[in-house]
Amino acid sequence: MSLLIDLLQAALLLSGVVMFAAGTLGLLRFPDTYCRIHALTKADNLGLGLIIAGLMLSAGSVLLVFKLLLIWLLVMLASALSGHLVAWEGDAQGMDAASGDLPSSGNAAQDSAERER
Amino acid sequence: MSNLYILCIILLLITLLVGLIRVWRGPRSADRILSAQLFGTTGVAILLLLAELQSQSAARDAALVLSLLAALATVAFVSRVWSNARHQAREAEHEPSD
Amino acid sequence: MGNVHQEIRQMESRHWHDKAVPALQRFLLALLVWWILSNDLIGSVWIGIPTALLVGWVSLKLAPPGRYRLRLLALPHFCLYFITVSVIAGLDILQRTLSPSLPLQPGMLDLQIDLPEGQPLWLFMITISLMPGTLSVNRQSDSSIRLHCLDTSNNPQDDAKALEHRIQTLYGLRTSNS
């Protein structure tokens, strides 16, 4: 029984790591800012959820389980909100949905300056 | 079991370091601030594993604080830095001499 | 006119009750969080209870209770749905990042969402960002919501509508027979 729980924990923790790797890979491979936000928020939240589920198996006390759940909830809220904020500001600046380019009129100089920085 | 924790921590640290490439390459500051979010979530996972590995419950409190700080960094960036750039660009647009 | 006065009187008669119940709820919630964070409620009760009182008061000032109350009975079902959907979302990202051709068809989608301001709409905005292929971007002036979709060919509006129905059920805004 204990072996079974250990195996389950190992599976959960390692698949959590895989999800984090997918998030990072998405951050690097996806073509524009919006898509990168998608990769980060979704993959990392599932990754953290899996790791927390794995840690819960060896938590030993109900209070610790609640604490881990609280941390997950908070991280989820924080990352969904920050992803939303970055997307919101991108949209406000007129960042194109398909290519992720900022409009060329008006703040092209600012855009290229930012790209070079 | 502790070997598994160490393995997971090392792998997570590697994904974190690889994620830094996005900070380096950008191209926009918005792409760079995304790595604050990456550090928030991955850092929380690493701290939780460390807490379990070393039986240090204080690391869990640090994880909580880290997640809040990462979110605050993004909020501060969007509301202060990035949207300021937008307003400045708009002002420059309204001045015909520029 | 008389109707309005009657409504105001009704609101005044429920005034006391309407203030006490949310205040008590928030105090208990803050105390629960304190208990979870401190690991030891009894030992730190002298700091915990004043802090919980303060937190409850501040949260009432900053975020006054809305008109819409969560149905606690519908909550487990919603949580289960949410967990399923976020697992699918993560696997979706995994599959897209690992495939060499990078199958993305990003685009914006403006969607009319029938949810009231406040808690229900916020819950929608947060949850939709964690669902497969959608990210909440903005609330347009005509009360529609702008979503960024990873794959516009994948009917993302169906997922959004499904979530809208779930949240309506969660807040008791629709009859739950469907």
Side-chain angles (χ1 to χ4, degrees):
Chain A
M1 195 58 202
S2 151
L3 180 71
L4 202 68
I5 287 180
D6 279 1
L7 278 177
L8 187 62
Q9 186 181 35
L12 283 170
L13 290 181
L14 288 175
S15 44
V17 171
V18 169
M19 285 317 300
F20 272 108
T24 301
L25 199 62
L27 185 67
L28 295 181
R29 280 197 77 200
F30 279 7
D32 64 85
T33 311
Y34 292 123
C35 295
R36 288 172 199 146
I37 301 172
H38 277 275
L40 260 192
T41 46
K42 294 170 182 65
D44 281 13
N45 272 318
L46 181 56
L48 188 64
L50 287 168
I51 284 184
I52 280 180
L55 289 175
M56 272 179 194
L57 289 178
S58 64
S61 80
V62 184
L63 217 52
L64 188 51
V65 170
F66 277 129
K67 190 170 188 172
L68 290 171
L69 274 179
L70 188 71
I71 292 175
W72 187 39
L73 209 65
L74 202 75
V75 171
M76 200 145 64
L77 206 70
S79 82
L81 274 179
S82 32
H84 165 71
L85 262 182
V86 175
W88 176 78
E89 183 59 31
D91 188 54
Q93 297 199 5
M95 189 185 275
D96 189 63
S99 65
D101 288 334
L102 286 174
S104 49
S105 66
N107 50 5
Q110 181 237 332
D111 189 29
S112 64
E114 243 190 64
R115 273 169 178 276
E116 273 164 28
R117 223 190 291 147
Chain B
M1 223 53 218
S2 66
N3 282 335
L4 177 69
Y5 293 146
I6 293 171
L7 176 73
C8 287
I9 289 172
I10 291 172
L11 289 175
L12 284 177
L13 277 174
I14 292 171
T15 62
L16 204 54
L17 288 177
V18 173
L20 281 178
I21 297 176
R22 186 43 78 199
V23 183
W24 175 46
R25 288 186 24 200
R28 261 183 220 100
S29 46
D31 298 307
R32 298 195 170 101
I33 201 66
L34 284 183
S35 54
Q37 209 182 323
L38 178 75
F39 268 68
T41 355
T42 317
V44 166
I46 291 174
L47 280 169
L48 290 178
L49 286 165
L50 268 179
E52 195 73 16
L53 182 67
Q54 305 180 324
S55 335
Q56 287 276 341
S57 67
R60 286 189 198 100
D61 301 327
L64 265 175
V65 175
L66 181 66
S67 72
L68 284 181
L69 277 181
L72 275 182
T74 312
V75 171
F77 165 77
V78 169
S79 64
R80 291 277 152 203
V81 184
W82 209 21
S83 59
N84 261 0
R86 166 163 56 114
H87 294 316
Q88 276 166 12
R90 209 162 266 173
E91 273 167 26
E93 215 174 305
H94 288 307
E95 281 171 24
S97 60
D98 203 348
Chain C
M1 220 31 201
N3 231 345
V4 174
H5 281 297
Q6 206 176 350
E7 256 178 43
I8 290 173
R9 210 170 299 135
Q10 268 180 359
M11 277 169 71
E12 273 171 357
S13 69
R14 280 165 47 199
H15 199 66
W16 179 84
H17 176 258
D18 275 2
K19 270 198 161 167
V21 170
L24 191 66
Q25 278 175 348
R26 303 219 179 166
F27 168 68
L28 288 177
L29 195 66
L31 205 60
L32 178 72
V33 172
W34 177 269
W35 183 35
I36 294 170
L37 289 183
S38 68
N39 280 326
D40 173 25
L41 186 62
I42 310 300
S44 61
V45 80
W46 299 113
I47 312 166
I49 288 182
T51 312
L53 278 173
L54 190 70
V55 167
W57 181 72
V58 169
S59 84
L60 278 179
K61 286 285 157 205
L62 291 179
R67 282 178 52 213
Y68 305 96
R69 298 274 156 76
L70 210 98
R71 301 269 161 110
L72 280 180
L73 280 177
L75 195 57
H77 198 222
F78 184 79
C79 288
L80 204 68
Y81 165 75
F82 175 73
I83 289 172
T84 319
V85 160
S86 48
V87 169
I88 297 173
L91 293 178
D92 177 62
I93 293 289
L94 182 70
Q95 181 225 324
R96 280 176 208 275
T97 49
L98 288 184
S99 71
S101 60
L102 211 61
L104 296 174
Q105 216 178 307
M108 289 291 183
L109 177 72
D110 284 337
L111 209 60
Q112 207 74 35
I113 291 299
D114 185 23
L115 284 172
E117 292 276 328
Q119 257 189 56
L121 200 59
W122 269 111
L123 184 65
F124 179 86
M125 301 279 272
I126 290 170
T127 316
I128 198 82
S129 287
L130 299 170
M131 282 179 51
T134 46
L135 176 73
S136 62
V137 173
N138 203 349
R139 261 170 58 204
Q140 309 293 92
S141 47
D142 59 342
S143 86
S144 72
I145 286 185
R146 173 167 288 187
L147 301 174
H148 181 267
C149 308
L150 269 186
D151 196 344
T152 42
S153 64
N154 212 2
N155 287 336
Q157 63 271 23
D158 293 352
D159 290 345
K161 280 289 165 194
L163 177 65
E164 179 194 12
H165 286 180
R166 297 270 176 175
I167 292 180
Q168 283 170 346
T169 311
L170 184 63
Y171 282 91
L173 298 168
R174 74 203 293 262
T175 47
S176 53
N177 54 1
S178 54

